[in-house]
Amino acid sequence: MVAQRGEGDEVVTTTPGTSAAQAAPVVPEQDEVVVRERARAIPEAAVARLAVYLRVLSGMVDQGVTTISSEELSAAAGVNSAKLRKDLSYVGSYGTRGVGYDVEVLVSHIERILGLTRKHSVAVVGIGNLGHALANYGGFQSRGFPVAALFDVDEDLTGVPVGGIPVNHIDDITTVCVEREVSIGVIATPPQAAQAVCDRLVSAGVQCILNFAPVVLQVPDDVEVRKVDLAVEMQILSFHVARRADEASAEQAANDLINGVGVDRVVIRP
Amino acid sequence: MVAQRGEGDEVVTTTPGTSAAQAAPVVPEQDEVVVRERARAIPEAAVARLAVYLRVLSGMVDQGVTTISSEELSAAAGVNSAKLRKDLSYVGSYGTRGVGYDVEVLVSHIERILGLTRKHSVAVVGIGNLGHALANYGGFQSRGFPVAALFDVDEDLTGVPVGGIPVNHIDDITTVCVEREVSIGVIATPPQAAQAVCDRLVSAGVQCILNFAPVVLQVPDDVEVRKVDLAVEMQILSFHVARRADEASAEQAANDLINGVGVDRVVIRP
DNA sequence: CCGACTTTGTGCATACCTTCACAAGCGGTA
DNA sequence: TACCGCTTGTGAAGGTATGCACAAAGTCGG
């Protein structure tokens, strides 16, 4: 038997003695089994949108909507309807042609794919302004992400409850995280402390990290990091402000330039 | 003179009487000038990374580093070095072959491209937990995004200073934004209020919005919206937790399955 | 001044994502 | 039952972003 590539779930074995040279980028070592996951086939961009669809659909449920077409849902989610259908096709074919999607069915399938059938305990590290806001933010709890622990380096904060949860000292991070089965760590510390905190979270077995500190975290391959960087967001917006300004001045300049050349107006094309 | 397509900045005119049918997706109307912008050529993804490079470079300046190679900078920013060089090439060719980039030169050019040579006043709407945190967050100020105004619907908050800035009532949003030349609006309100606030910001002339509320905002084409959705971030992480769990159980199952079939171990391939 | 060495900038191939367009499938209707 | 209109699901095309690999271009030591 020879290892091969294919679609969907598969279990492929290379038996001892078979030394088939592979054209594939990664040559499997001998005597190992290669398992490919269908889950991995969902593009990252689609996952992010699925979360958005889920939120919109939750609102639909509250409104008593039972069925929705891709056209309606895509409009509500602010995306192209073809993209929406493709995204949903990663989840499975749960629509009815000529009718649309059953809202509740869709919700439960997206929740399954996103792993929301299970609760994910969250630990927030760094109880400053942002940490406070996060600890008090009801959105985590209500969406199945209970905040299970808070940490700070400041001993004066230790034991003080924030949002109903007492703050632990950061030195207890490993014990507490293991004990409370924390699966997601949120870093809301100053940048200088972020890498050290991250290392401690990782050694406590946390494999997913949401980082608010403006630093690039170094982590092992098996740890997933997502970052939220307000300064970067602002700078991206700044870029667009500048672009607009450039266009405006270009338009102005062009208008000046061509004054009386027989052209009526100037249009900026993207 | 006939309209044409080309690279870089150009000013192309269609003179009256010339009815050149264009193959271009958008046919220019007669008697108009088409101006194309080089700035638009920078991909969004590259802009986001440029902001990261800028932060890393700022740290380098503080450390007294004067020159840096693409290899070093890319490692510090957590990206591929070829990608970094390509990103920098959008900014211009300011490196020296065999040596690297002058840190300060690079900083000033990236700042120019990102439009950071000009200050961008920020208004924060919704002074709840998150709004407080944002108002007190020093990162805005220090990076050239002074918080110029705060707004809330709660009259008890009106006049109360938060982070040194008195809160205005939301009804004054247009006047105050125009007066203080706000170019970026930050929405930190509950979801129900977000669209209304957005509309008011837009009518006040704000063209860039950073939205923390978990809703899809509807805006005119000439307004740029970026969203930060914590629940979505958490759900993406949840997806990865689930994927890991699936892989672990698949590995387990595969190991069980092949017990004694002459295979030594199981490897999960991405 | 020259040659060896280093690093940039970029053409090209690849992979990924998006969008179009349409066949297939389903419910409603006569 | 047979048709009709509507909507899904997806093959294929097009576009965008990524990563490799290397020529071009500069520095530095002798």
Side-chain angles (χ1 to χ4, degrees), chain A residues 3-56:
Chain A
Q4 2 169 297
R5 323 200 102 223
E7 292 269 56
D9 300 318
E10 57 178 344
V11 178
V12 184
T13 62
T14 59
T15 45
T18 310
S19 63
Q22 282 245 132
V26 180
V27 179
E29 291 177 34
Q30 290 187 351
D31 310 343
E32 72 177 34
V33 172
V34 178
V35 180
R36 252 170 257 282
E37 290 298 309
R38 181 153 194 79
R40 181 57 173 165
I42 304 184
E44 189 78 13
V47 173
R49 285 190 299 266
L50 284 172
V52 174
Y53 305 153
L54 185 59
R55 194 184 59 217
V56 174

Side-chain angles (χ1 to χ4, degrees), chain A residues 43-129:
Chain A
E44 189 78 13
V47 173
R49 285 190 299 266
L50 284 172
V52 174
Y53 305 153
L54 185 59
R55 194 184 59 217
V56 174
L57 287 167
S58 302
M60 297 291 172
V61 170
D62 294 346
Q63 285 175 40
V65 178
T66 57
T67 297
I68 194 168
S69 72
S70 64
E71 206 63 51
E72 294 170 282
L73 181 52
S74 66
V79 301
N80 181 299
S81 73
K83 183 162 23 182
L84 176 123
R85 288 198 299 276
K86 185 142 285 188
D87 288 344
L88 292 184
S89 79
Y90 295 124
V91 175
S93 298
Y94 303 113
T96 306
R97 293 167 190 230
V99 178
Y101 300 89
D102 182 291
V103 176
E104 291 197 22
V105 170
L106 211 47
V107 165
S108 70
H109 282 291
I110 295 177
E111 284 181 340
R112 177 178 51 79
I113 290 290
L114 293 182
L116 302 178
T117 48
R118 188 186 126 190
K119 291 248 181 274
H120 299 280
S121 295
V122 174
V124 178
V125 187
I127 311 302
N129 285 314

Side-chain angles (χ1 to χ4, degrees), chain A residues 127 131-137 141 147 150 160-167, chain B residues 129:
Chain A
I127 311 302
H132 261 88
L134 294 172
N136 284 306
Y137 175 54
Q141 187 73 42
V147 177
L150 305 177
V160 177
V162 175
I165 302 140
V167 177
Chain B
N129 285 315

